[in-house]
Each structure stands twice: as structure tokens, then as C-alpha cells.
Amino acid sequence: MVAVPRALYVHIPFCLSLCPYCDFVVLAGRAARGPASRVAETVRALHVELDLRADALAAAGVEAAPLASVYLGGGTPSLLSAEQVDGLLDHAARRFGLASDAEVTIEVNPGPADRGDLAGFRAAGVNRVSIGAQSLDAEVLAHLGRRHRPEDVADTVAAARAAGFANSNLDLLYDVPGQTPESWQRTLTGAVELDPTHVSAYALTLDDPEAEGLTGPVGDHLPVTPGARKWRSRARDGQDEDRAADEYATACASLAAAGYRHYELSNWARPGSESRHNLAYWRRDAHEALGPGAHAFDGVSVRRWNAARLDAYLAALLPAEGVAPCLPPGGTDRIDAETARSEAAILGLRLDDGITAESAAEPVVAAGIAWALAAGLAERIEREGPRIALTPRGRLLSNEVFVRLLPDADAV
Ligand code: SF4
């Protein structure tokens, strides 16, 4: 059985330059703009993939239901023209349907050269912008290799508002080497003053996708450049677990004081402005995905991804004349029932309303939940029935809880 996808992710794999910590599937420089730009052909390929995915769902007997969310992520999707965004949204609406109140998000980089045509995106039907601010401290931004300045973030928020966007998210990063507690506090205060409806704050992660075997021909990551590898190795030395915990606590306190609901471990929203798209991921709803490196889920037991390499993606979808296009290379993971229950508990506990007492009693997670309750990292709450949620301390130590909810947790 396959569930009807209610969310669609579209990956735009281009940025003007590459940030050294970035693990997303991104090509920069000549591929992103100018005469050798590959943006237009990638957009053509996305249209072909959209048709093939919709055909595959129809062939599997999945009835279309209007999408509740479309998310244009990247990369820097704001590098697309308004016409390209309009074309993709129109095509998605024709093939999948788009609910009249759907959340339609575009990720926007705040630099003047990559902010894009906000008014055009709004006119195309986008109603939410997610702005990659990361920090409001010029030194931290420079250290991260970002192109924009703090003023550009404020300008982008103002431009989005002027273009008619009522919903905006600011993405922030903490545990950044060289970031002082004072600098982080100033970033949070500045972010609150800009009054977005949603704030995401994630710790900087510096995993090595090559070491994890994710960069092969069907891997969903690209190899890390030698320069980025060096930068990461230096940056890792400057990270500090205790400082990261303090900065997370500062974010929790500052954003709560400003009236944001801490509805997910790393996400805060004005009531009613929670990200519907990300809620679909945390609730394990079926979602479709297009573009190199994009991940989809059938809502039950199959996770699928496209390989990260753009050449192979384009070759499959835009073959020589006379050759039929086919779905791009990638992989699938089939999840057994026990893993699915473990996954549902871990994802559900990321949310402030946690999981039902019934799912907390599933054999695969029951011992881990009992441990978390005894350790004060989880608590019983009442929200339309008995539920289990993480405590504030449990949010800080969520990995300690999650590792105990895995099917092989006996080894912990
Ligand atoms: S702007 Fe974002 S997506 Fe682009 S390279 Fe930097 S971190 Fe990656």
C-alpha cells in the first residue's frame, strides 16, 4: 500500500558560491549563472521528472489528492526566474493538484545577487520564504564563507514583506567556531526584531559524506572539495559541545520570551505558522521529491532518493532525440515494521506534542521510553489523550533518548 503524497519537494542544486560546510547537493560558479549555466536544462529535466513520477504513482494505483505543500529548496532556488517558478508550480498543480490553501515555500539567499524576484515569486503563487540568514554577525558570516552581510538579511525580510509575503522563516546556525555567546545572543535578538513568523536554529554539523559512503554513483551527496575538507577539519577543532548546549538553551529562552512556540527540536513558530512541509516529514506523511539528491517517502515503508550527480540526472531525463526519458539513477530503502515504529517514535518526539502513549508502548521503543521517563528526559502529557513528550532537558539531550529507541538499542 502506498499513501497519497501531500507534500512535494523540488531541489534546485545551484548556488553562486559554495559554503565550505555545505552538505547539500549544490553546484556553484559557472554552473549557476552566465553562458555556461545549467539552470535552464535542470528546470527542463525537473518538468520531465515531475511527469514520470506522477505517471508512476498513477500506474501504482495511487489516486491524486491535492498537495498541501510544495517546497522549492536547494541550493538557491531564488536563482530561478519567476517564470521558471511559475512553470514548475503550474505543472505540479496540473499533475498532482494543489490545495487552495497549500503552503508554497521558496528558499531565498539574502545576498542582493541571489535574493531573486520576490514579487515575481509571490505572483507565481509562492506564499512563504525561508531566508538563509545563518547569523547576524558579519564576522561569523565571513567565517562561514557566506556571501551576504547582516544588513542583507534585514533588506530581504523587508523586501519579502513588501512583496506580500506574510510568512517568513529565518534559518540560523549555532556552534559555529568563533561565535561568542554574546554574538549568538545578538543574532537571536536581531532575528526577533525582524519579526519573522518562523525561526529554525540548527547546530553546525560537519559530517564527512565520503566517509559515510554517500558520494558514489547512486549516492545522495557530492564529494567534498579539498578546500572545504581543510576548512571543516579546522572548524571541527573550534566546536564545543558545552557551548553548543548553552547556545541551544539561549535560543530556547530568547525565542520563547518573544512568543515563539518551540514546536520542534530546532524550530520555533508564531502560532499557526508551523512549517507544514516539515511537519509532513516529522509525521511520516508520504512526500514526493524531484531533483538531484532529493528524497521521497511512500508514507509506509519505502524511502527513495535520486543520485546527487547532475550529469547522470540530466542524461536520464533529457536523453538524445528519439530516446525516451527515464527516471534518474538513485536508490531505495525498504523499512521493516519494527524500524518504522522506531522511526515514528523518534520523529514524533522531535515535536512538542510527542507521541501517543500507545505508540510509546510498542515493544521496540518501550524500554527506551521508560529509561527517558525515569531520567527526567521525557514526561507524560495530556493532549487529546495521554502522550509522551520530551522535557526541556530531554530536548537538550535528545540524541541520548533517540539512540535508545533504535531497533538495535540493546547494544547501548
Ligand atoms: S548557500 Fe546554502 S545551499 Fe548554497 S552552498 Fe551555502 S549552505 Fe549550501
Side-chain angles (χ1 to χ4, degrees):
M1 191 188 67
V2 179
V4 177
R6 300 300 314 279
L8 173 69
Y9 175 79
V10 183
H11 188 74
I12 308 296
F14 301 103
C15 285
L16 294 186
S17 61
L18 208 54
C19 306
Y21 61 90
C22 181
D23 262 347
F24 298 116
V25 174
V26 173
L27 300 171
R30 289 189 328 144
R33 66 170 160 183
S37 159
R38 310 193 72 183
V39 175
E41 59 179 330
T42 303
V43 171
R44 274 196 291 129
L46 287 166
H47 280 283
V48 179
E49 189 188 4
L50 194 152
D51 275 327
L52 293 178
R53 297 285 175 207
D55 290 347
L57 284 170
V62 179
E63 278 175 33
L67 296 166
S69 167
V70 178
Y71 193 104
L72 303 173
T76 307
S78 54
L79 291 176
L80 297 191
S81 67
E83 290 70 28
Q84 286 169 323
V85 168
D86 189 48
L88 286 167
L89 293 179
D90 182 60
H91 194 178
R94 275 187 283 116
R95 291 306 311 266
F96 291 100
L98 189 60
S100 56
D101 64 344
E103 176 185 277
V104 183
T105 305
I106 190 165
E107 286 180 354
V108 170
N109 254 342
D114 40 7
R115 179 183 306 156
D117 178 1
L118 291 168
F121 300 149
R122 182 71 196 94
V126 180
N127 53 29
R128 183 172 183 269
V129 282
S130 180
I131 300 167
Q134 315 313 345
S135 172
L136 296 177
D137 180 320
E139 249 180 66
V140 173
L141 287 174
H143 189 75
L144 285 169
R146 302 291 304 203
R147 298 170 59 86
H148 68 271
R149 303 158 308 157
E151 310 84 273
D152 294 327
V153 177
D155 289 351
T156 303
V157 171
R161 218 161 261 146
F165 285 96
N167 258 332
S168 58
N169 169 57
L170 287 187
D171 272 340
L172 303 177
L173 274 180
Y174 63 94
D175 199 18
V176 175
Q179 184 181 52
T180 60
E182 294 73 27
S183 154
W184 176 235
Q185 181 63 74
R186 277 198 304 277
T187 285
L188 288 165
T189 304
V192 164
E193 278 169 11
L194 293 174
D195 197 23
T197 50
H198 191 285
V199 177
S200 300
Y202 285 92
L204 176 68
T205 52
L206 297 167
D207 300 334
D208 182 350
E210 271 168 278
E212 293 173 35
L214 303 175
T215 58
V218 293
D220 60 350
H221 282 64
L222 293 172
V224 178
T225 65
R229 190 175 292 285
K230 262 195 214 147
W231 185 94
R232 290 177 193 207
S233 144
R234 278 197 310 271
R236 250 179 241 118
D237 294 341
Q239 288 192 302
D240 180 321
E241 255 182 41
D242 292 337
R243 188 191 58 196
D246 287 348
E247 290 182 344
Y248 182 68
T250 305
C252 295
S254 300
L255 294 167
Y260 289 89
R261 174 181 162 215
H262 191 180
Y263 74 103
E264 193 272 346
L265 286 181
S266 305
N267 289 277
W268 290 258
R270 298 276 184 224
S273 293
E274 296 80 7
S275 162
R276 276 194 244 165
H277 193 83
N278 286 342
L279 281 170
Y281 295 159
W282 297 314
R283 290 178 176 153
R284 293 182 88 250
D285 293 339
H287 48 267
E288 229 350 307
L290 311 174
H295 281 238
F297 179 49
D298 74 352
V300 186
S301 60
V302 178
R303 293 197 180 276
R304 157 190 88 64
W305 66 90
N306 286 341
R309 295 171 190 236
L310 184 64
D311 285 337
Y313 180 81
L314 295 177
L317 292 159
L318 303 176
E321 218 177 302
V323 179
C326 61
L327 287 170
T332 54
D333 253 348
R334 188 168 283 281
I335 301 158
D336 61 34
E338 196 178 54
T339 305
R341 283 192 279 272
S342 151
E343 199 179 270
I346 291 171
L347 290 171
L349 284 169
R350 296 187 65 91
L351 298 169
D352 66 344
D353 52 8
I355 56 176
T356 62
E358 198 184 350
S359 32
E362 291 285 356
V364 63
V365 297
I369 297 283
W371 177 88
L373 287 167
L377 303 183
E379 62 186 345
R380 293 176 208 284
I381 60 169
E382 197 61 34
R383 227 169 262 185
E384 293 173 16
R387 300 180 74 87
I388 305 291
L390 294 182
T391 58
R393 191 169 145 69
R395 290 178 161 201
L396 202 57
L397 300 172
S398 57
N399 286 337
E400 290 291 316
V401 178
F402 296 160
V403 76
R404 288 172 165 82
L405 305 181
L406 296 169
D408 58 358
D410 292 349
V412 178

